[in-house]
Amino acid sequence: MAGGPFSVVLVVQEVFGVHEHIKDLCRRLAKSGYFAVATELYARQGDVSKVTDMKDVMAIVKEVPNVQVMSDLDATLAWAKSTGKADVAHAAVTGFCWGGGIVWLYAAHNPKLRAGVAWYGPLNREATALQPQHPLNIAGELKVPVLGLYAGLDKGITSTDIDLMREALKQSPVRSEIIVYPDAQHGFNADYRPSYNAADAKDGWQRMLAWFNAHGARAKA
């Protein structure tokens, strides 16, 4: 697409890294008028594209410090600005699975963002030295409004966690929202997974674009 600058959307990877699905989501956002970019956020710890066992994937992910991820997303915005094609003053972030959890954290970290959309991101996990924060314990510190898109049949993210997050969001200085698709499973937007739900994925995508637009991260026609 010619022209610009375009509002930036940071696309935060699934636990499996920046694979073809994440690249495709970036292309879809670009076609909608955004400068979309996905960064390999645990490249220093290991290349999960070459790992087939989920236990080995998680062993890499557990070594990724939250502070590193926040810094790398900041650096991605700085790089985007350097291209001359990106409008970082109207930036947003979206993420999927592991990346959905990162969206909540980055919305508490970077007050210069306009909006965030978290797709079925974990809300409540045990704190570690490298990953001391999770969405539930920073909900009251959000600086950016986040739309959470969650699945009613998710076996890993319970309705209890969602209820706790909704309650915690009442302490936030910004207005966020959580939508639950009752018949969806975790990963319902991932069209390469058996859990893909075309109707809910389409609705979620439309809600995401509307959320960006409503909070100042507008696409350029």
Side-chain angles (χ1 to χ4, degrees):
M1 184 182 294
F6 304 95
S7 296
V8 177
V9 177
L10 299 174
V11 179
V12 188
Q13 65 201 47
E14 294 182 329
V15 72
F16 306 110
V18 182
H19 51 44
E20 191 56 38
H21 173 61
I22 297 300
K23 295 175 184 178
D24 183 57
L25 297 179
C26 287
R27 288 189 287 266
R28 289 178 61 189
L29 283 163
K31 289 179 180 178
S32 294
Y34 287 100
F35 186 109
V37 56
T39 302
E40 292 276 7
L41 291 169
Y42 28 88
R44 297 176 186 83
Q45 283 71 33
D47 183 357
V48 292
S49 71
K50 298 177 181 177
V51 178
T52 57
D53 191 310
M54 191 61 187
K55 291 182 180 179
D56 294 333
V57 171
M58 294 310 300
I60 292 172
V61 176
K62 288 178 181 178
E63 296 301 314
V64 182
N66 284 351
V67 64
Q68 172 187 299
V69 175
M70 300 300 104
S71 176
D72 283 352
L73 291 173
D74 288 344
T76 302
L77 284 176
W79 169 81
K81 183 177 181 179
S82 74
T83 69
K85 293 287 188 178
D87 179 3
V88 298
H90 298 86
V93 61
T94 190
F96 304 81
C97 181
W98 177 85
I102 296 300
V103 166
W104 293 103
L105 300 188
Y106 198 58
H109 168 80
N110 188 348
K112 295 181 180 180
L113 287 179
R114 294 302 184 99
V117 177
W119 296 74
Y120 35 85
L123 297 171
N124 187 20
R125 286 185 171 177
E126 182 180 354
T128 68
L130 295 177
Q131 300 170 358
Q133 295 177 320
H134 295 291
L136 255 176
N137 62 22
I138 54 84
E141 303 170 25
L142 293 180
K143 302 173 179 67
V144 178
V146 175
L147 173 65
L149 301 173
Y150 285 84
L153 302 181
D154 196 319
K155 296 179 180 178
I157 303 170
T158 66
S159 59
T160 298
D161 285 344
I162 292 172
D163 289 342
L164 288 171
M165 189 64 178
R166 282 175 167 154
E167 189 64 27
L169 288 172
K170 294 178 182 179
Q171 307 303 316
S172 172
V174 295
R175 180 183 173 276
S176 295
E177 183 178 351
I178 292 179
I179 302 293
V180 176
Y181 294 95
D183 299 323
Q185 300 178 50
H186 185 84
F188 64 85
N189 186 64
D191 56 9
Y192 70 98
R193 294 192 194 184
S195 58
Y196 176 60
N197 184 311
D200 291 341
K202 180 178 179 180
D203 184 80
W205 193 264
Q206 292 172 339
R207 287 179 183 271
M208 176 183 69
L209 296 180
W211 187 264
F212 289 164
N213 185 67
H215 293 92
R218 295 181 176 86
K220 190 164 185 178

